Amino acid sequence: MPRPSPHRQFRKLYIGPWLARLGKKQVEAARVAGCTPQYMSELISGAKKNPEHGVLFDLSEWLGITVNDFYRQP
């Protein structure tokens, strides 16, 4: 049986494209998600690879999409 990789693979998030598609601003998204604009910027740029679940949940409710939608392009 293969050994699990010591480095977890994270899937790319498409938060930025979803915000653009739905006409929402990054600063507004940060406020809704209860995070800093810097944290939101890091999620959008890919610098932050492991988002807090609550952030994705709050954003998905606000945008009217599912959390899974963030893992595919709009």
Side-chain angles (χ1 to χ4, degrees), residues 5-71:
S5 171
H7 301 289
R8 186 174 180 169
Q9 297 292 324
F10 294 102
R11 293 172 55 198
K12 180 178 171 130
L13 288 169
Y14 293 94
I15 295 173
W18 277 106
L19 292 176
R21 170 100 184 241
L22 298 171
K24 305 294 185 180
K25 298 197 181 300
Q26 183 175 322
V27 172
E28 191 179 8
R31 182 189 54 77
V32 167
C35 65
T36 66
Q38 177 65 33
Y39 184 84
M40 185 60 60
S41 177
E42 290 172 355
L43 285 177
I44 290 170
S45 72
K48 179 78 64 188
K49 306 255 188 249
N50 190 15
E52 297 176 25
H53 292 73
V55 169
L56 293 182
F57 182 76
D58 290 346
L59 286 175
S60 70
E61 282 195 329
W62 177 59
L63 296 172
I65 62 176
T66 69
V67 170
N68 287 337
D69 288 333
F70 287 125
Y71 294 97

